[in-house]
Amino acid sequence: PRKRAAVLAEVGDICRIEGDVPRAKDNYDEAHATLRRLRDTPGVARILAKIGSMALDLKDYEGAVARFTKAHALFLEVGDGHQAAIMTGNLGRVSHAKGASSEAEKCFTTAISTLEEVGDRRFAAIFLGNLATVRHEVGNPKAQSDYESAIASLEETGDRRFFAIFLARLGALAADQNKP
């Protein structure tokens, strides 16, 4: 059952990427039910994170917060501070989407600190780029250096997707400042 739940979660990811939300939800829900029945706390936390991300994609902010918060608590319960920090960053993403800039900044800063402590440069850089976006939107001059730091780290880790996203956002910041 545990392997089947893992496969269902992966199929849910594929369906979500392809835009088949009802099928993704069915796969995630079945995986979630199985993992709960098995009392697999880390597995339940991981699937809740996936469901939370889907909720965020669908702009169901309350659903996203509920799933990320529960996943955060479960990750702490099993002693996985790394994954708990990622959930804190995800809560920052929700806050940003809702327009709560100060709450987003707080979540991103907390997540970045923990991720740097555990050596996860990639996720620390992603959340730093998200923090830069929040700072850019509110006119904080730290945005440029945050983008530059995030881009440098992402280039070193080989994450081309987020490297490109934050490079484009740095360009948008330069354009907002009338810089060529």
Side-chain angles (χ1 to χ4, degrees):
R2 187 169 278 113
K3 287 181 182 178
R4 177 174 166 68
V7 170
L8 286 167
E10 293 298 320
V11 171
D13 290 344
I14 292 166
C15 292
R16 185 173 144 225
I17 291 166
E18 292 180 347
D20 188 348
V21 173
R23 191 162 168 223
K25 183 181 179 327
D26 290 345
N27 282 285
Y28 287 155
D29 288 348
E30 186 176 343
H32 183 230
T34 300
L35 293 164
R36 284 180 52 142
R37 195 170 48 255
L38 294 171
R39 296 184 184 353
D40 181 341
T41 304
V44 169
R46 284 189 300 275
I47 197 71
L48 285 172
K50 291 175 183 288
I51 295 168
S53 289
M54 187 172 66
L56 179 56
D57 291 347
L58 298 171
K59 297 183 169 90
D60 172 10
Y61 302 133
E62 290 178 21
V65 167
R67 273 42 171 244
F68 290 146
T69 301
K70 180 64 176 171
H72 180 270
L74 292 174
F75 283 128
L76 287 178
E77 181 181 313
V78 298
D80 191 339
H82 173 251
Q83 289 297 321
I86 292 172
M87 292 308 103
T88 300
N90 285 342
L91 287 165
R93 292 173 49 225
V94 177
S95 295
H96 179 230
K98 291 171 38 178
S101 299
S102 61
E103 182 61 27
E105 188 169 347
K106 178 181 165 192
C107 289
F108 290 141
T109 301
T110 301
I112 292 162
S113 175
T114 302
L115 291 165
E116 286 174 344
E117 285 176 24
V118 300
D120 188 337
R121 294 180 58 225
R122 179 179 174 266
F123 266 102
I126 290 168
F127 290 131
L128 179 59
N130 287 327
L131 175 60
T133 300
V134 171
R135 288 178 169 168
H136 174 193
E137 290 172 358
V138 299
N140 185 322
K142 291 181 181 178
Q144 181 173 339
S145 63
D146 289 344
Y147 278 134
E148 290 168 350
S149 294
I151 290 165
S153 289
L154 291 164
E155 185 172 33
E156 288 176 20
T157 64
D159 189 319
R160 295 174 52 139
R161 177 175 177 248
F162 282 100
F163 173 88
I165 289 169
F166 297 131
L167 186 61
R169 289 182 185 171
L170 179 59
L173 174 65
D176 288 349
Q177 297 173 343
N178 293 319
K179 294 179 181 175

